[in-house]
Amino acid sequence: MFVLVLGDAFLVVIPGEAAVTAFGALAVSSGAPPLVAVIVVATAGALLGDVGCYLGGRWIGLERWGWMRRPRVQAAFSWARTRLDRRTALVLFTARFIPFARLAVNLTAGASRVPAPRYVAVAGLAALGWAAYQALIGAVVASVVPGGPIVAVVVSVVVAIGIGLAIDALLARRGRRTGML
């Protein structure tokens, strides 16, 4: 789970969220691993991944590779930079739940020199909130759905994906109305 969550910070196609949700379901349905351990390990992986992106932004910048110079990516970096200056905590917490936004915000935070102690403190709290949320989705589903660990894991992952798709749809709709997308 740690490796998936860590990798998810750099490659949004890696199923870090699903892994945390699945382990949250296992924690309740089978008793192992402990739910607190799932949250702690997921938090550590998320924070380490976010800090890795922050350091990448600090050392590499926002224009080194071709994908970084694409207009939509540059627009995302610009959006993140403007908001990070005014509301660091709000932007980091929000981005933690949106895959590409998380990458853009963490790279931009490093490139725009958000002070490291402030960044790590806020990113750590955001990672903890995210890890608890993902693990608790699995735990709640496992406590409600009968059928043992396998059913709990499958149903909790499907529920988590459904929640993610619903949030993405709401954000896209809001973005179309406000001209952000």
Side-chain angles (χ1 to χ4, degrees):
M1 177 186 66
F2 177 84
V3 171
L4 290 173
V5 172
L6 176 65
D8 186 21
F10 304 98
L11 297 169
V12 297
V13 297
I14 295 176
E17 289 91 351
V20 177
T21 302
F23 275 92
L26 278 175
V28 169
S29 63
S30 70
L35 186 58
V36 171
V38 171
I39 294 169
V40 168
V41 170
T43 299
L47 179 59
L48 188 59
D50 290 351
V51 169
C53 288
Y54 170 87
L55 292 172
R58 192 160 238 189
W59 293 331
I60 295 168
L62 301 176
E63 296 182 353
R64 169 123 352 138
W65 293 298
W67 68 269
M68 294 174 144
R69 293 186 294 272
R70 291 183 184 151
R72 285 186 73 150
V73 174
Q74 281 296 306
F77 289 151
S78 177
W79 178 90
R81 179 174 285 136
T82 300
R83 275 134 191 100
L84 279 167
D85 289 340
R86 285 184 263 149
R87 295 204 164 106
T88 305
L90 176 65
V91 173
L92 286 174
F93 267 85
T94 303
R96 170 97 294 283
F97 291 86
I98 306 168
F100 181 75
R102 180 174 65 242
L103 176 63
V105 165
N106 290 320
L107 285 168
T108 303
S112 59
R113 305 281 192 218
V114 170
R118 183 170 96 193
Y119 171 82
V120 170
V122 174
L125 290 173
L128 175 61
W130 171 84
Y133 169 78
Q134 290 299 143
L136 290 174
I137 288 173
V140 167
V141 170
S143 66
V144 173
V145 175
I150 293 174
V151 172
V153 167
V154 170
V155 172
S156 66
V157 169
V158 168
V159 167
I161 290 170
I163 290 170
L165 289 172
I167 291 170
D168 285 345
L170 288 171
L171 291 173
R173 188 158 143 217
R174 181 174 179 235
R176 285 190 298 271
R177 272 191 272 140
T178 61
M180 288 292 295
L181 295 177

